[in-house]
Amino acid sequence: MIRERARTRVAGPAGGGRTETCPSPDGEPESRGRPGRGMDAEKMDENEWKYHGEGNKSLVVSHRQAPEEILRHLQNIADFGKHVMKHFFGEKYVHYGEVVQLPLDFVKQLCLKIQSERPESRCDKDLDTLTGYAMCLPNLTRLQTYCFVEHRPILCVEIKPKCGFIPFSSHVSQEIKRKVCRYCMHQHLKVANGKWKQLSKYCPLDLFSGNKQRMHFALKSLLQDAQNNLKIFKNGELIYGCKDDQDSLSDRNELARHLKPFFFPANGMVNGPHCTRTVIKELIHVITMTLLSSTDACRAGNMKTVPISRGRSYCEASAFSKELVRNGKNKMDSCGLPRDCLLSKTLQAQMLDMLDIEGLYPLYNRVEKYLAEFPEERSTLQIDGPYNEAFYEKLLDLSTEDDGTETFALTKVQQYRVAMTAKDCSLMISLSPCLQDECSDQRPVVLASKSRFTFSVSVLDLDLKPYESIPHQYKLDGKIVNYYLKNVPAKDDPVKSNLFKENEDCTLVLHKV
């Protein structure tokens, strides 16, 4: 995997190390370098820059330190997965990759070759062709555990579940945040901005509930409107998901055509709506069972966890309640996630965000004030790495009582960054048909009506969220909440109120299966 960098004519060392100088109106060269760290005029040394070429009005040079910084950045990504996230998910779930260096000519030719295949919305980003450093990762659309089925067709489902809990922090200032999840509120703003054409019925709290009925509804909602939260691959090729920002790659009838041989290999079911519904139902069942599965071989570390019962277990904006009412039900069954399943591990990592961004932002400002006074401490505090075992050890303090120190503030900031990473990660489920005589206790197997599958589950997109992104998250949170309050009328639905009345203070009970 070659890491992308934002397209820009001018970037400092961290963005590729390339800059251009152009004549200013008075004829003197004017640097168009990116202001900020690495471009401090007082610390710049002309001996650290290398000539690349020039045009009639521009000179192209690059900073010699750029390759080192990009190498360090990629190594930090690998180290973060290896030394930190493996403790949350289990080592066999996390594939942290290896940093490699590729010939620059190959990288440039590769960029040219794939340019026409890239989504239009991504074409404003350039691949880094200046250093050749890349991250080598396994193909997670294939099975990661057993090679004996590699010659058989592989089905892979990628889910980006997003945040699976309601904020429980006392710092939350708007009551709506205690009732409606971030994802459901954000949907309204995204539709208003033209990001999506319609609201999704998917709610992360339904998927994370452990209640199979709610999970089925959540997955069905994702299949109805994938946005960028669901992709399905067949033998490594994308067959269903979001194309650019608004168009589906394929409708569900076409998806069912791809899936039918997996779930009904010897069935003569005719095509049509009934066939599509049946096949999709089978897929949803299999995904649910793999997400709830747990294996001793993939146990995570023994880190003390945040009690899941601290957060409300449902979102008032979820469409699931309407579905219950439509089916004549007035009570939600209380359930919970098996402790060792991947969803539970993902949720525990997300819940390191114990203070919400409203409680976290003042602590970020405290750290910023300290760094302004002692800038040399940035390295000691490991804000930019290295992300090693020592970094992980600092995450173990789950106290929320502020003692006024920079140490407390930094711990909460680092925990928040890890939580945000878990909120934006993707889960990969790879499935391959398995004959009954090939199945054993050592191989995880999930059963469908007419078939069985061996499977592997993985987690990816585990790049630690940048420290510098916290102010943006604070502003975005306020924007999402304010838009929702102003533009989504509050509805006092007595049916919904009765639906959740018995479970207002319910907890999610963790149990082993």
Side-chain angles (χ1 to χ4, degrees):
M1 179 180 69
I2 300 175
R3 307 300 302 179
E4 289 185 352
R5 62 182 176 88
R7 179 193 291 269
T8 174
R9 291 187 62 200
V10 186
R18 187 162 177 154
T19 187
E20 297 181 9
T21 57
C22 304
S24 61
D26 60 5
E28 292 294 323
E30 177 184 20
S31 172
R32 292 188 177 182
R34 178 168 58 90
R37 190 179 55 166
M39 297 299 286
D40 188 336
E42 295 181 0
K43 298 179 180 178
M44 292 180 68
D45 182 351
E46 67 277 8
N47 295 315
E48 295 178 352
W49 294 80
K50 178 182 178 182
Y51 173 84
H52 278 281
E54 58 189 278
N56 290 332
K57 295 183 178 181
S58 65
L59 174 69
V60 181
V61 295
S62 68
H63 195 278
R64 295 181 183 274
Q65 191 181 358
E68 296 178 10
E69 292 203 1
I70 291 178
L71 173 60
R72 189 182 309 116
H73 172 69
L74 291 178
Q75 192 60 55
N76 275 342
I77 293 175
D79 288 344
F80 181 66
K82 182 177 182 180
H83 299 299
V84 180
M85 297 313 286
K86 74 174 184 182
H87 289 291
F88 292 97
F89 295 101
E91 190 163 4
K92 289 191 177 181
Y93 285 141
V94 177
H95 306 275
Y96 36 81
E98 177 185 3
V99 180
V100 297
Q101 189 167 22
L102 304 173
L104 291 181
D105 288 343
F106 166 77
V107 175
K108 292 175 182 177
Q109 292 301 316
L110 178 63
C111 292
L112 292 174
K113 179 182 183 298
I114 67 173
Q115 187 63 25
S116 62
E117 303 173 32
R118 300 176 68 195
E120 184 178 346
S121 61
R122 295 289 186 179
C123 287
D124 63 341
K125 297 179 181 292
D126 275 341
L127 297 179
D128 176 16
T129 59
L130 296 175
T131 68
Y133 286 116
M135 186 79 77
C136 182
L137 291 163
N139 182 355
L140 296 181
T141 64
R142 312 295 293 182
L143 283 173
Q144 298 304 308
T145 50
Y146 306 106
C147 299
F148 75 99
V149 292
E150 282 298 301
H151 63 282
R152 295 190 185 145
I154 305 288
L155 190 65
C156 179
V157 180
E158 177 183 349
I159 300 173
K160 189 179 286 289
K162 306 302 285 187
C163 182
F165 70 97
I166 295 282
F168 49 84
S169 169
S170 61
H171 297 280
V172 171
S173 61
Q174 298 284 3
E175 188 62 24
I176 193 65
K177 289 175 64 174
R178 302 183 188 277
K179 299 178 179 180
V180 179
C181 77
R182 165 70 171 261
Y183 180 89
C184 289
M185 281 196 284
H186 203 178
Q187 279 284 305
H188 290 269
L189 183 60
K190 287 182 176 180
V191 170
N193 290 338
K195 173 72 173 177
W196 306 117
K197 291 181 178 179
Q198 61 187 12
L199 297 174
S200 170
K201 293 182 179 180
Y202 171 70
C203 176
L205 269 72
D206 290 332
L207 185 66
F208 281 95
S209 69
N211 179 305
K212 291 181 182 178
Q213 188 181 6
R214 291 176 67 183
M215 294 178 71
H216 285 192
F217 184 87
L219 292 168
K220 180 181 177 181
S221 299
L222 284 178
L223 285 163
Q224 289 175 340
D225 193 355
Q227 294 190 1
N228 63 351
N229 296 99
L230 175 75
K231 294 179 182 177
I232 300 178
F233 302 85
K234 178 181 177 182
N235 297 329
E237 297 293 327
L238 182 66
I239 60 172
Y240 193 82
C242 173
K243 184 179 181 181
D244 260 2
D245 290 334
Q246 295 181 336
D247 299 321
S248 292
L249 178 64
S250 172
D251 61 20
R252 281 174 291 169
N253 290 331
E254 180 67 11
L255 173 63
R257 185 183 68 81
H258 283 289
L259 297 179
K260 185 178 175 182
F262 285 89
F263 293 99
F264 298 97
N267 191 286
M269 246 187 334
V270 296
N271 294 324
H274 176 70
C275 173
T276 297
R277 286 194 298 269
T278 303
V279 173
I280 295 297
K281 184 178 179 181
E282 290 288 306
L283 174 66
I284 289 174
H285 167 74
V286 167
I287 295 174
T288 300
M289 297 311 295
T290 57
L291 288 176
L292 292 175
S293 68
S294 58
T295 58
D296 292 339
C298 293
R299 289 187 184 274
N302 295 320
M303 179 178 182
K304 184 179 178 182
T305 55
V306 181
I308 291 180
S309 59
R310 292 182 66 178
R312 178 179 288 193
S313 61
Y314 65 91
C315 167
E316 288 191 359
S318 167
F320 178 77
S321 59
K322 297 178 181 178
E323 188 75 7
L324 282 184
V325 172
R326 192 177 297 117
N327 292 332
K329 298 183 179 181
N330 59 6
K331 182 179 179 181
M332 178 181 293
D333 294 330
S334 179
C335 238
L337 292 169
R339 184 177 181 83
D340 290 321
C341 75
L342 191 55
L343 279 179
S344 179
K345 295 173 183 179
T346 304
L347 184 59
Q348 289 292 352
Q350 292 179 355
M351 293 184 75
L352 280 180
D353 176 14
M354 295 173 283
L355 302 177
D356 188 68
I357 186 63
E358 293 188 65
L360 189 281
Y361 189 60
L363 300 182
Y364 166 82
N365 288 331
R366 185 189 302 172
V367 175
E368 280 289 275
K369 182 178 179 181
Y370 180 78
L371 290 176
E373 187 174 357
F374 306 102
E376 70 280 0
E377 288 292 298
R378 188 180 181 101
S379 175
T380 304
L381 298 178
Q382 294 184 272
I383 289 177
D384 307 306
Y387 303 124
N388 49 25
E389 294 287 347
F391 180 90
Y392 170 73
E393 292 293 329
K394 295 175 183 178
L395 301 173
L396 300 180
D397 182 4
L398 300 184
S399 64
T400 55
E401 295 185 12
D402 187 356
D403 59 4
T405 65
E406 289 77 20
T407 300
F408 174 85
L410 180 65
T411 298
K412 299 305 129 182
V413 166
Q414 303 292 48
Q415 288 173 341
Y416 175 81
R417 294 173 67 192
V418 173
M420 291 300 294
T421 302
K423 291 178 185 181
D424 205 36
C425 72
S426 292
L427 310 182
M428 302 286 281
I429 304 168
S430 296
L431 304 148
S432 185
C434 173
L435 301 179
Q436 187 164 359
D437 59 0
E438 294 174 332
C439 300
S440 69
D441 294 339
Q442 286 73 41
R443 297 167 181 160
V445 173
V446 60
L447 302 179
S449 296
K450 302 292 184 180
S451 57
R452 62 180 61 219
F453 301 89
T454 185
F455 68 92
S456 65
V457 288
S458 305
V459 57
L460 72 160
D461 293 341
L462 291 177
D463 302 9
L464 180 62
K465 294 302 179 183
Y467 168 82
E468 289 79 10
S469 70
I470 291 176
H472 167 73
Q473 290 296 331
Y474 179 73
K475 293 177 183 177
L476 179 61
D477 183 76
K479 189 175 182 180
I480 291 171
V481 174
N482 289 333
Y483 182 86
Y484 190 86
L485 288 173
K486 291 179 181 178
N487 295 278
V488 181
K491 296 181 180 179
D492 185 13
D493 189 339
V495 177
K496 180 179 290 189
S497 298
N498 291 332
L499 175 68
F500 293 110
K501 188 174 181 180
E502 291 186 37
N503 296 279
E504 189 71 29
D505 298 317
C506 71
T507 61
L508 294 180
V509 181
L510 300 180
H511 58 87
K512 294 184 179 180
V513 297

